[in-house]
Structure formats: C-alpha cells, structure tokens
Amino acid sequence: MSFTPEGLLGAIAAVSIGAATLLGAGAGTAGAAGGAHCDRAERPVWSGDPSRNLTAHGCSLPSGERRWYRVEIDDLVEAHHTTDYLNGPVGRTEKLHDRTIRCMGFTADGATVNWFGCVPH
C-alpha cells in the first residue's frame, strides 16, 4: 500500500473535521454545565429595584468556575420594602414562578446559597 501526498492530505482533513465536530458538540454541553437550579429563593426589592443579591435554598450547584451562572428558580419570593433599610417594613410580597436569573457568583453555607451580582429580570 502506497501513500500519496494527496491521500495523506485527505486523511488529515477528515480527521480534523471529525475532531472539530466532536469538540463543537462538547462545547455546547460544557456551556450548559454552568447552570444551576434552585427550588426557592428570596430577593428584596428596594425602591422598586430588585437587589443584585438573592438567597436560595435547595440548589444544585454547577461544577467549575464561570464568568456568569444561569440560575433557574422554581419559586422566587420578592419582598417589596417601603424603605431602603434592611429591617424596614415590607409593603407587599410577590411570588414568581419558573424564573431564570443570571448571576456573577455564589457562596454556599450549608443548604443556603447566596448568589451575588445578579442582573434584574
């Protein structure tokens, strides 16, 4: 069996295309691995604007560090404060279902996860 330069070039191209296809499929699932799911979360709302932080419970956390995390929340409770003080009175509470929020990071303390740098929805 003799190998010609054209035959070798064709074989190399076929292997390269196959590797690129496999890497492309793997990159899609790696991007999805940055997501998290939480059963419930609470987030205060100050002067009409939601806080950039939220406290969640029953979370499955992603493995590895990322720039942004997509957090899927089953039940999000937003307490609308009448003042800008932490211990101030709550005017109303709103319960939202099936929300996805993007956050920059988290800290976990037992079963409680504190997400920070969250973009308002």
Side-chain angles (χ1 to χ4, degrees):
M1 174 180 236
S2 66
F3 294 104
T4 62
E6 292 85 11
L8 287 175
L9 186 59
I12 291 171
V15 169
S16 298
I17 291 171
T21 302
L22 289 174
L23 288 174
T29 56
H37 178 269
C38 298
D39 293 334
R40 65 187 194 288
E42 301 89 30
R43 175 168 64 178
V45 177
W46 313 101
S47 302
D49 292 325
S51 173
R52 302 299 190 258
N53 303 326
L54 60 96
T55 302
H57 309 279
C59 296
S60 62
L61 298 176
S63 60
E65 294 184 18
R66 297 183 50 82
R67 178 78 173 172
W68 287 96
Y69 297 92
R70 294 181 61 90
V71 185
E72 296 176 3
I73 303 169
D74 291 341
D75 295 318
L76 175 61
V77 177
E78 292 185 333
H80 294 260
H81 292 265
T82 57
T83 66
D84 287 335
Y85 299 104
L86 181 61
N87 294 328
V90 175
R92 66 184 172 93
T93 301
E94 187 176 5
K95 188 173 185 179
L96 307 172
H97 301 284
D98 300 325
R99 297 291 176 173
T100 301
I101 297 175
R102 290 176 18 138
C103 298
M104 287 188 71
F106 65 91
T107 59
D109 183 23
T112 302
V113 179
N114 294 305
W115 294 94
F116 58 86
C118 302
V119 179
H121 58 274

